[in-house]
Amino acid sequence: MIEFASEVSSKINISKRQVEAVLELFAEGATIPFIARYRKDKTGDLDEVQIQQIQEEAKFQKEFSERRTFIIKSISEQGKMTEELAQKLGTATSINELEDIYLPYKPKRRTKAQVARENGLEPLSDLILLQQGGNLSEAAAKYLSENVLTVEDALQGARDIIAEKVNENAEVRAKLRRVFESEGFLTSKVLSGKEVEAAKYKDYFDYKELVVKVPGHRGLAVLRGFMEGFLRIGIEPEEAYAIETVEELYKPEAGHSYEGLSESSVQVRKAIKEAYKRLLQPALESEFRMALKLKSDEEAINVFAENLRQLLLSSPLGSKRLLALDPGYRTGCKTVCLDEKGELKETTVIYIHEFNKLYDAEQNIRHLVSKHQTEVIAIGDGTAGRETEKFIKSLNLDLPVFLVNEDGASVYSASEVAREEFPDQDVTVRGAVSIGRRLMDPLAELVKIDPKSIGVGQYQHDVNQTRLKEKLDATVISCVNAVGVNINTASKHLLSYVSGIGDTLAKNIVDYRNEIGRFSNRKQLMKVPRLGEKAFEQCAGFLRIPNGENPLDASAVHPETYKVVETIAGDLKLDVKSLIGNETVLKNLDVKKYSEFGELTVKDIINELKKPGLDPRQAISNFEFANIFSIEEVTVGMVLPGMVTNLTKFGAFVDIGVKQDGLVHVSEIAHRYISDPAEALKLGQQVQVKVTEVDVPRKRIALSIKQTEEMPKQQPGNAKRVDAFKVSKPASNYAPGKPSSNTKQAPVEKASETLEDALALLKRKFGK
């Protein structure tokens, strides 16, 4: 796709040289993580986002070119291609422009205009469009026939032809499209008799907003109400203004009524109105509805992807001996013991909600902790999670206790991956193992679960599922390669996300590892069946071999640049092992001395040698909720510790330990204006919140972060992170405050720029 480099460059504002470099690398079979990490000198230090943009834009330009070729061929085969038409098609820059030009020549079902033409009325329509006066009724009478019985029938047929010409006029559609972009309103009304059934869409029973300003989450809500049969929706500007816009191009006599106008002008104005109401408005409404859906989908998908990224890169505990519990009431708490590698050592069930079984549960836990020399306890945060935490802490085991987000654990436990890992274990045991491993290494465990089951999205079931999967898969790949993978401990599933590997090679690597015991150097990868030179080039730098034969194999330094390290070590009269981690020597190194290898590459190598194999994820910190366990214990005015569990465009969901997350609306996050919660918060961030509203019947809790902070005197910073151990207090220590007189805050949202981005995406997806 390198032939589209110029178009891609001008579209996304990245130099042609950089675009060409990226497209050449793609043609050679390179992956985005590999290009971003190991080909910086060639691309000019483009990051993954920019490389992804180039890939997507090049794909669009290819599809656009193919569509133009098809249209040219179609018109030529009809014998209607002219020099002027060819020039218009050649200079078209958008799918809409291309399709508008093609519309008159596009094969279509039998229309009213075609019927009128068959009845010989096209000359009459041409006469009317001239608007030269004269007795039009007499002229129309000449076209009467067995199919055209009256003068009005003749005039109606002529108007049908004119309406179709207006509809197929590329200039009309382009001008009207701009009106829809700037003046179009999204409206919705509840369908008669659906008021009770559609109660959750109450905000949209009588709703009107400029479509350009509709945020994604509202767009998806309205569209969902429409698809479920509760709302009637529309997208259009004021009708009179839209029709007037079209009339300007045909210049009929002006006037607010037909009185005093020539017969031809009356007919032209009637035809334009018919064209708008019957053809143009429905077509453009459909186009803009799809554009709104696409824009809303992209916003929701991007939110989901960013949340997933933060979750995948959340802090790992590391290799520790674990006791993990999957809590439950009636069925008991499934309990497993894991070793430092996450291998299952023992499993049992304890019952802490039956008084006569409490003693046995306590003795069982103490025995397991002693037997397996447990270092940490992990508890799923779902049903009975807080009660189980309370029980474990009451045993005073002097061990760290972590509540672990268990979203998706049940999905994993019933999956083929889990059955393959634990063929002889019950699904409940698999779920407990997943909870424990998720604490040890969230990334390694979460990649086994369909991202859509992790619960960090927004309207995830409403968006385009193919696009969602593409985006989430790309996010997982990016995270896995950013962290790196220990080739001797990684699961087949984790390995499959490494650059250049995939499912088949991942299985071959695991099989070969089982055969040889462990990899001692990266070169052994070349002995894995079907893993050739290209695959080795793409994956080697992301695979780690701690304590291997070559110390560089434990780092992100790519084997192709080992000679660079050896050259540097030789110049410093050191061996490679002594150079690694020697920051004193490395910080004074003259990068330009080794510019022949590429300055950006050498800088990356030096940074990696300073802290080889450094995990980019932050260290884990413990967290404790306040001493409350249900929504009934929550009162307005409480100030509580919480943890951010989900970010959407309209606010952040915060877990305060009562099974029901509270919502901090975007307007209640910070004292400064923010349009997106992600500007101030991160997934998993510990925050202090104030309860502003509690609705027990609907299980809704409204929270505020900014009300726990003083108004900053100078430039405000991000929402305050808090020490959970300092703010965690028994509920009795909190004095409920008075509820705010206006606890429902109106959404504070920044208007979107235009629908141009959405329309561009629409063109890519639906151009054909």
Side-chain angles (χ1 to χ4, degrees):
M1 293 188 286
I2 195 169
E3 64 269 25
F4 304 113
S6 296
E7 292 85 349
V8 173
S9 174
S10 61
K11 200 74 172 284
I12 62 178
N13 200 25
I14 294 176
S15 78
K16 183 180 177 183
R17 182 193 64 78
Q18 291 174 295
V19 171
E20 287 176 338
V22 170
L23 293 178
E24 284 174 359
L25 288 165
F26 279 136
E28 294 167 6
T31 66
I32 291 177
F34 176 80
I35 296 171
R37 180 67 178 82
Y38 296 112
R39 291 296 181 264
K40 291 182 178 180
D41 285 294
K42 190 165 185 178
T43 68
D45 202 16
L46 295 178
D47 60 28
E48 285 191 5
V49 174
Q50 292 169 307
I51 295 168
Q52 181 78 47
Q53 283 181 318
I54 291 172
Q55 186 183 54
E56 291 183 352
E57 185 59 38
K59 182 181 177 183
F60 165 69
Q61 291 296 336
K62 182 175 182 292
E63 292 172 351
F64 180 80
S65 177
E66 289 172 350
R67 181 60 176 168
R68 174 160 38 206
T69 301
F70 171 81
I71 289 172
I72 291 171
K73 181 182 178 183
S74 175
I75 297 175
S76 298
E77 287 176 348
Q78 296 174 41
K80 297 178 181 178
M81 181 60 71
T82 64
E83 188 175 332
E84 181 184 3
L85 194 55
Q87 186 176 359
K88 284 183 179 180
L89 289 168
T91 56
T93 58
S94 70
I95 285 288
N96 278 335
E97 189 178 355
L98 209 56
E99 296 298 336
D100 287 348
I101 296 169
Y102 181 44
L103 188 58
Y105 309 95
K106 198 172 187 177
K108 55 177 79 74
R109 58 184 174 79
R110 199 158 180 257
T111 64
K112 289 183 177 182
Q114 285 176 317
V115 173
R117 287 190 179 95
E118 290 168 6
N119 290 329
L121 295 173
E122 186 149 29
L124 180 59
S125 70
D126 292 339
L127 178 65
I128 292 172
L129 278 173
L130 292 176
Q131 301 181 72
Q132 292 180 345
N135 191 322
L136 194 57
S137 296
E138 287 183 7
K142 297 176 182 178
Y143 294 92
L144 299 183
S145 66
E146 60 180 14
N147 294 322
V148 183
L149 302 177
T150 67
V151 167
E152 180 51 38
D153 289 344
L155 294 175
Q156 180 60 63
R159 290 200 301 271
D160 289 339
I161 295 172
I162 294 170
E164 185 170 274
K165 288 180 177 179
V166 171
N167 177 56
E168 294 179 349
N169 186 321
E171 188 178 359
V172 167
R173 295 178 76 91
K175 194 168 184 179
L176 205 51
R177 188 175 287 112
R178 288 193 292 271
V179 172
F180 268 70
E181 285 178 3
S182 60
E183 305 291 337
F185 285 91
L186 171 65
T187 60
S188 66
K189 300 274 187 183
V190 65
L191 292 176
S192 180
K194 297 280 188 178
E195 291 82 359
V196 175
E197 196 179 352
K200 63 181 178 180
Y201 297 109
K202 188 175 180 180
D203 291 344
Y204 306 105
F205 281 7
D206 188 13
Y207 164 74
K208 182 176 182 180
E209 185 173 10
L210 279 171
V211 70
V212 72
K213 293 186 177 181
V214 176
H217 62 272
R218 278 214 287 276
L220 286 173
V222 171
L223 291 169
R224 178 192 281 181
F226 169 71
M227 294 302 294
E228 291 181 357
F230 296 129
L231 302 176
R232 180 176 67 255
I233 68 172
I235 299 177
E236 69 172 315
E238 294 298 328
E239 184 179 290
Y241 177 58
I243 291 173
E244 183 182 327
T245 301
V246 180
E247 287 180 346
E248 288 175 359
L249 295 172
Y250 287 89
K251 297 182 171 44
E253 296 175 46
H256 295 293
S257 69
Y258 296 148
E259 188 176 346
L261 299 184
S262 69
E263 289 184 77
S264 294
S265 287
V266 169
Q267 294 301 318
V268 170
R269 290 183 68 176
K270 283 184 176 181
I272 288 173
K273 188 172 184 178
E274 289 175 17
Y276 178 76
K277 297 184 72 171
R278 181 165 58 85
L279 301 171
L280 287 164
Q281 190 278 330
L284 287 170
E285 177 179 318
S286 178
E287 180 181 310
F288 274 77
R289 185 165 65 238
M290 285 195 291
L292 176 63
K293 174 69 165 62
L294 196 58
K295 169 195 167 188
S296 301
D297 278 6
E298 284 300 305
E299 181 180 296
I301 289 169
N302 287 335
V303 168
F304 199 149
E306 181 53 33
N307 286 349
L308 177 63
R309 178 181 297 278
Q310 292 180 27
L311 189 63
L312 292 174
L313 295 179
S314 55
S315 305
L317 176 69
S319 298
K320 300 285 183 183
R321 293 182 295 279
L322 274 175
L323 186 146
L325 299 102
D326 184 359
Y329 289 115
R330 182 180 56 81
T331 57
C333 300
K334 281 63 68 179
T335 307
V336 300
C337 294
L338 306 177
D339 66 13
E340 299 94 329
K341 296 179 181 179
E343 298 295 330
L344 177 62
K345 308 306 291 183
E346 190 170 347
T347 176
T348 189
V349 180
I350 63 170
Y351 297 86
I352 65 172
H353 302 288
E354 297 179 39
F355 182 76
N356 61 340
K357 295 183 179 180
L358 267 177
Y359 178 77
D360 290 342
E362 177 180 344
Q363 295 306 307
N364 211 340
I365 292 296
R366 292 188 185 280
H367 168 71
L368 291 173
V369 167
S370 174
K371 178 181 177 181
H372 296 284
Q373 298 181 314
T374 298
E375 298 174 276
V376 177
I377 295 176
I379 301 170
D381 68 349
T383 303
R386 291 297 313 284
E387 292 83 352
T388 304
E389 177 195 33
K390 185 178 181 180
F391 166 74
I392 293 294
K393 287 183 176 179
S394 73
L395 303 182
N396 297 314
L397 298 169
D398 196 28
L399 294 175
V401 178
F402 289 85
L403 273 177
V404 180
N405 185 324
E406 63 175 46
D407 286 341
S410 59
V411 175
Y412 160 77
S413 63
S415 69
E416 185 179 340
V417 176
R419 289 195 298 272
E420 186 177 330
E421 285 191 288
F422 303 103
D424 301 323
Q425 298 294 342
D426 184 75
V427 291
T428 57
V429 172
R430 298 171 191 160
V433 172
S434 180
I435 289 168
R437 287 178 171 180
R438 193 179 297 193
L439 178 62
M440 296 173 74
D441 190 342
L443 178 61
E445 195 62 21
L446 289 172
V447 294
K448 301 174 184 176
I449 303 170
D450 183 346
K452 290 185 290 184
S453 302
I454 297 176
V456 291
Q458 167 186 311
Y459 295 101
Q460 65 194 61
H461 300 296
D462 295 330
V463 302
N464 183 295
Q465 295 301 296
T466 301
R467 176 63 178 158
L468 177 63
K469 186 179 187 309
E470 287 176 358
K471 189 77 171 181
L472 297 186
D473 284 350
T475 301
V476 175
I477 290 169
S478 173
C479 292
V480 169
N481 289 283
V483 172
V485 172
N486 184 332
I487 193 173
N488 284 318
T489 60
S491 67
K492 177 179 68 176
H493 208 70
L494 182 61
L495 283 168
S496 70
Y497 287 102
V498 173
S499 168
I501 292 184
D503 294 335
T504 301
L505 285 180
K507 181 180 184 303
N508 292 351
I509 289 172
V510 171
D511 290 345
Y512 186 72
R513 183 177 69 195
N514 293 336
E515 181 184 323
I516 66 172
R518 70 184 300 274
F519 286 90
S520 56
N521 61 69
R522 281 170 167 166
K523 291 179 181 177
Q524 288 175 291
L525 280 165
M526 296 295 290
K527 297 179 181 179
V528 172
R530 300 183 67 179
L531 200 156
E533 291 184 8
K534 176 54 70 173
F536 179 82
E537 174 195 66
Q538 297 299 304
C539 73
F542 301 106
L543 297 172
R544 311 280 190 268
I545 304 178
N547 304 313
E549 295 172 356
N550 188 331
L552 291 176
D553 285 350
S555 73
V557 177
H558 197 286
E560 67 185 8
T561 56
Y562 282 4
K563 61 182 180 181
V564 181
V565 181
E566 292 163 1
T567 300
I568 293 172
D571 290 348
L572 296 171
K573 294 181 171 51
L574 295 170
D575 59 33
V576 170
K577 191 172 183 179
S578 300
L579 183 63
I580 295 174
N582 194 335
E583 291 195 50
T584 303
V585 171
L586 291 167
K587 71 179 181 181
N588 296 318
L589 203 63
D590 183 6
V591 175
K592 293 184 178 179
K593 182 178 178 181
Y594 305 96
S595 59
E596 63 184 285
F597 300 111
E599 285 193 23
L600 293 173
T601 297
V602 175
K603 284 180 181 178
D604 270 358
I605 291 171
I606 292 171
N607 289 332
E608 179 63 22
L609 291 175
K610 288 178 182 177
K611 296 180 179 179
L614 178 67
D615 194 321
R617 297 171 290 182
Q618 294 182 346
I620 196 169
S621 62
N622 211 332
F623 177 82
E624 288 188 6
F625 292 108
N627 191 29
I628 56 175
F629 296 87
S630 69
I631 191 172
E632 287 78 12
E633 297 176 67
V634 181
T635 57
V636 172
M638 280 184 168
V639 177
L640 304 165
M643 182 174 289
V644 179
T645 58
N646 198 4
L647 294 173
T648 68
K649 285 294 184 179
F650 54 82
F653 288 92
V654 176
D655 184 0
I656 57 174
V658 296
K659 300 181 178 67
Q660 178 61 50
D661 288 355
L663 174 64
V664 183
H665 189 269
V666 65
S667 62
E668 286 294 322
I669 291 175
H671 288 290
R672 61 190 174 91
Y673 171 77
I674 59 172
S675 61
D676 186 341
E679 295 176 32
L681 299 172
K682 297 289 184 184
L683 218 63
Q685 183 171 328
Q686 299 170 18
V687 294
Q688 194 171 6
V689 294
K690 182 176 181 179
V691 180
T692 60
E693 187 178 354
V694 182
D695 186 338
V696 176
R698 294 200 295 172
K699 295 185 178 180
R700 292 183 178 180
I701 305 170
L703 305 170
S704 173
I705 292 174
K706 74 178 186 182
Q707 289 185 36
T708 67
E709 305 171 324
E710 292 184 6
M711 177 74 78
K713 295 179 181 178
Q714 297 179 347
Q715 184 69 24
N718 286 350
K720 181 167 66 179
R721 295 175 72 98
V722 298
D723 186 328
F725 298 104
K726 291 182 181 177
V727 300
S728 181
K729 302 176 184 178
S732 58
N733 290 350
Y734 293 96
K738 295 181 179 179
S740 167
S741 60
N742 182 23
T743 54
K744 277 194 169 184
Q745 298 289 332
V748 179
E749 285 154 3
K750 186 177 180 181
S752 304
E753 296 297 327
T754 67
L755 280 180
E756 287 180 3
D757 290 341
L759 286 169
L761 287 165
L762 174 66
K763 296 162 194 172
R764 299 182 188 188
K765 295 293 182 184
F766 304 104
K768 296 184 181 179

